[in-house]
Amino acid sequence: MKTIKLNNGIEMPQIGYGVYQVSPDECERCVSDALKTGYRMIDTAQAYHNEEGVGRAVKSSGINRSDIFIVSKVWISNYGYEKAKASIDDSLRKLQTDYIDLMLLHQPFCDRYGAYRALEDAYREGKLHAIGVSNFYPDHLIDLASNVDIVPAVNQVETHVFNQQTEAQKIMEEFGTHIMSWGPLAEGRNNLFSNETLTKTGNSHGKSVAQIALRWLIQRGVIIIPKSVHIERMKQNLDIFNFELSDEEMAEIATLDTGKSLFFDHHDAETTKLFMSWR
Ligand SMILES: NC(=O)c1ccc[n+]([C@@H]2O[C@H](COP(=O)([O-])OP(=O)(O)OC[C@H]3O[C@@H](n4cnc5c(N)ncnc54)[C@H](OP(=O)(O)O)[C@@H]3O)[C@@H](O)[C@H]2O)c1
């Protein structure tokens, strides 16, 4: 399994399995399948309401806890120092573990400084082995990374062939923060699975469109967490380390960038209001 060394020396797998929109009932089965398939990193969040399913699957897998890398995220309704601190303990309980490998702040809204200080203290206590953020675009990341003791190890942002985040990635690198993609397959939006360039490239390597889209991110050094509830797709998404895209192919896929989100614009007033309704 290819790993990425984070800014505190911790190694994390470059590919993992994401469980957003996997129902609490189905989560245990999906994570068990993912672990059987060979995934060793699982990405969940308080807001997905399925940390218990992840915990049960990890526990029953028979795999050493130290061989599985668990990522979770603190939701904005738990921001502020005291609430975030209590929510970390709650996540540990639901995940049935003494430590979480990487804990992120899920969104750049509300009392994120109070919440981040809770992550820092839990890191110092050994409850979290690495800490970071998610959806922090350059303005928010620069602000936070410049004003905390422990620079975020990771920033998980929407990153796929249609929203490539190349400039944002450079800024993260300036701070020693590693880019992690959510939505590496763009959830299939913008007809990703029938895209002409990706289909043509896939045909020349005997690989699927999904494998090309994921391989392109891997070659840029991005950490990825594709989600599928189907075991055959889980296998397919992991089977991307036995071929390489050429410089020309990388460059051609780079032209698919629209520089825009297919989901949320975190700087849009209506989006911000929507997040406030989820506090
Ligand atoms: N930090 C954040 O704010 C944030 C936001 C969104 C997501 N995330 C994380 O990122 C993970 C991945 O993102 P995502 O779940 O939004 O989307 P995604 O991984 O880009 O795409 C998932 C979709 O693609 C389909 N799919 C997966 N593999 C496929 C394949 N090989 N061929 C055809 N279709 C395939 C899945 O369908 P089936 O399941 O039916 O196979 C599902 O509809 C999440 O699970 C979550 O852990 C984080």
Side-chain angles (χ1 to χ4, degrees):
M1 180 72 62
K2 191 164 182 316
T3 60
I4 296 285
K5 191 180 261 200
L6 303 180
N7 62 11
N8 63 352
I10 294 269
E11 303 254 357
M12 81 178 277
Q14 193 179 1
I15 184 166
Y17 176 70
V19 295
Y20 175 48
Q21 297 180 113
V22 177
S23 69
D25 290 346
E26 209 179 10
C27 186
E28 184 176 352
R29 191 275 297 166
C30 284
V31 174
S32 297
D33 282 353
L35 291 171
K36 276 184 211 134
T37 305
Y39 290 86
R40 288 294 178 268
M41 186 248 287
I42 307 295
D43 181 86
T44 182
Q46 293 170 353
Y48 303 168
H49 303 294
N50 57 19
E51 287 174 308
E52 286 102 332
V54 173
R56 282 195 299 272
V58 168
K59 205 76 184 174
S60 64
S61 68
I63 301 167
N64 283 339
R65 171 68 187 88
S66 57
D67 291 331
I68 300 178
F69 194 99
I70 300 178
V71 184
S72 193
K73 314 181 193 81
V74 178
W75 185 242
I76 51 177
S77 55
N78 290 326
Y79 279 16
Y81 182 84
E82 291 300 338
K83 277 168 98 179
K85 188 171 159 23
S87 84
I88 293 165
D89 287 339
D90 206 32
S91 287
L92 288 167
R93 186 182 54 74
K94 288 178 176 166
L95 289 162
Q96 299 187 54
T97 182
D98 298 337
Y99 67 91
I100 293 167
D101 296 273
L102 173 65
M103 192 66 153
L104 309 176
L105 292 191
H106 206 145
Q107 300 289 346
F109 300 118
C110 308
D111 183 5
R112 50 193 183 272
Y113 276 93
Y116 197 82
R117 278 195 293 275
L119 293 194
E120 290 180 318
D121 281 353
Y123 174 79
R124 291 184 187 104
E125 288 172 48
K127 291 178 179 176
L128 309 177
H129 285 185
I131 60 174
V133 294
S134 177
N135 296 301
F136 276 56
Y137 290 95
D139 48 357
H140 287 129
L141 181 73
I142 293 168
D143 185 299
L144 187 98
S146 306
N147 289 291
V148 292
D149 292 337
I150 303 170
V151 171
V154 161
N155 186 13
Q156 185 183 115
V157 293
E158 177 193 341
T159 311
H160 45 74
V161 294
F162 302 126
N163 187 17
Q164 300 180 0
Q165 307 284 13
T166 35
E167 287 310 308
Q169 184 177 7
K170 282 184 202 151
I171 292 168
M172 291 179 214
E173 282 166 2
E174 281 177 37
F175 287 88
T177 300
H178 206 94
I179 186 169
M180 180 169 180
S181 151
W182 66 254
L185 298 169
E187 288 182 13
R189 292 186 187 199
N190 209 20
N191 297 320
L192 180 134
F193 294 116
S194 53
N195 179 272
E196 219 175 287
T197 305
L198 300 176
T199 304
K200 180 192 70 179
T201 312
N203 288 343
S204 68
H205 288 278
K207 291 285 178 184
S208 71
V209 162
Q211 289 171 314
I212 299 299
L214 297 175
R215 178 72 205 181
W216 185 81
L217 292 169
I218 289 287
Q219 285 186 216
R220 281 182 48 204
V222 178
I223 298 166
I224 60 172
I225 40 172
K227 168 260 173 188
S228 174
V229 296
H230 299 101
I231 194 162
E232 287 311 318
R233 288 177 176 173
M234 293 178 195
K235 284 183 191 156
Q236 189 192 117
N237 295 344
L238 199 56
D239 179 25
I240 55 173
F241 294 95
N242 50 7
F243 75 107
E244 196 164 348
L245 298 172
S246 67
D247 292 346
E248 292 72 28
E249 287 169 329
M250 290 295 290
E252 192 181 3
I253 295 169
T255 66
L256 300 178
D257 194 16
T258 65
K260 281 201 297 239
S261 170
L262 292 179
F263 297 84
F264 294 111
D265 175 354
H266 279 72
H267 295 103
D268 174 68
E270 288 310 312
T271 303
T272 307
K273 284 183 192 166
L274 185 65
F275 276 102
M276 293 309 108
S277 72
W278 292 337
R279 276 177 301 162

